Amino acid sequence: MTLFFFLLIAIVTVISAILVIVLRNPIHSALSLVLTFFSIAGLYILLNAQFIAAIQVIVYAGAIMVLFLFVIMLLNLEKEKRVSEKHPLQKAFGVSIALFLLGGIGSIVATGVLYGNMGTETAAKVSAVGNTKAIAGLLFTDWVLPFEITSILLIAAIVGAIVLTKKEL
Amino acid sequence: MIPLSYYLVLSAILFTIGVVGVLVRRNAIMIFMAIELMLNAVNLSFVAIGKHLDSLDGQVFVFFVMAVAAAEVAVGLAIIVNLSRNKETINVDEINIMKW
């Protein structure tokens, strides 16, 4: 049953991801990217990562995609839709390089050389306290310095975005 | 119980689709969306491997990746708005100078 749900969500994810790069109208691409983000949130639920699934929907499908749609509508990209590719071989080269990359990653996954040190947070232990609480515990103990640096990064991004878009300072 | 390799193959496919998008599309916003797709593919393999190894560090990393992605989108879209204001195009083939 879990496998059935996984395959269903995986097919939706791949099809909507292909639509993102194939559709000509940027608004249609953005909307299918929203669908991709939602189905990836479904995969996080299957992986017992409820907190990540929630912030995937809130941050990615909510905040980031609204920003994208806002900018697409602000720029009025109607005339950009029919831009012809300058380099005729670009598509062929791009796809072949990407398939080469897929072959490389796929061969590493298929040969099964992936290994690592086992952690201590087993599924039973995490579900006893709750996924969000377990992540919060890690975030405010082991990862507290990166967590605080993230706030500086966000401040820098806010200031940068304002400086870039303001016409004259 | 779904094997780890299924998630990794799905993540590789999503990453490849993102790479194709960056290499093939010429619209700066479309390239940006393809980059978001690649970030999500990597996030998926972080969470899948984290579950496989009984560790929550992968999910903490995904949290940081999302914060970086949000900052990147804010600054990147500001640059794109600025470009379209100054050059009236966001076709990356026509944006080939650093200042004007």
Side-chain angles (χ1 to χ4, degrees), chain A residues 2-3 6 10 13-14 17-18 20-21 23-24 26 29-30 33 36-37 40 43-44 46-49 51-52 55-56 60 64 67-68 71-72 74-75 77 79-80 83 85-86 90-91 94-95 98 101-102 105 109 114 116-122 126 131 134-135 138-139 143 146-147 150 153-154 157 161 164-165 167, chain B residues 1-10 12-21 23-27 29-30 32-34 36-37 39-41 43-44 47-49 51-57 59-71 73-75 77-82 84-85 88-91 93-94:
Chain A
T2 320
L3 189 65
F6 172 78
T13 312
V14 171
I18 289 172
V20 170
I21 63 163
L23 290 175
R24 304 308 306 177
S29 294
L33 192 57
T36 313
F37 287 160
I40 289 175
L43 290 172
Y44 289 152
L46 284 183
L47 283 165
N48 275 329
F51 174 68
I52 296 296
I55 62 169
Q56 169 87 10
Y60 264 118
I64 290 181
L67 209 56
F68 266 108
V71 169
I72 291 169
L74 183 78
L75 295 186
L77 297 174
K79 66 180 188 314
E80 296 280 345
V83 171
E85 268 80 19
K86 252 186 194 168
Q90 185 176 20
K91 261 182 191 154
V95 172
L101 179 73
L102 181 64
I105 301 173
V109 173
L114 298 167
N117 297 327
M118 294 299 280
T120 54
E121 312 279 341
T122 57
V126 171
N131 178 259
I135 290 177
L138 276 177
L139 212 51
W143 299 93
F147 182 72
T150 303
L153 173 78
L154 290 175
L164 280 169
T165 45
K167 275 183 182 131
Chain B
M1 187 64 198
I2 302 151
L4 172 67
S5 55
Y6 285 25
Y7 283 105
L8 294 183
V9 168
L10 176 63
I13 291 170
L14 283 178
F15 191 86
T16 308
I17 293 170
V19 171
V20 172
L23 292 177
V24 168
R25 298 304 298 264
R26 297 295 82 202
N27 185 329
I29 288 186
M30 296 304 305
F32 227 55
M33 285 194 219
E36 293 301 312
L37 211 54
L39 283 172
N40 268 276
N43 281 354
L44 183 62
V47 175
I49 293 173
K51 193 197 177 199
H52 180 69
L53 294 175
D54 285 339
S55 166
L56 281 180
D57 289 353
Q59 295 184 31
V60 176
F61 257 80
V62 171
F63 178 82
F64 290 132
V65 170
M66 280 181 184
V68 172
V73 164
V75 175
L77 288 177
I79 292 172
I80 289 175
V81 169
N82 224 356
S84 74
R85 209 181 266 158
E88 272 138 28
T89 180
I90 55 166
N91 185 344
D93 282 337
E94 293 170 29

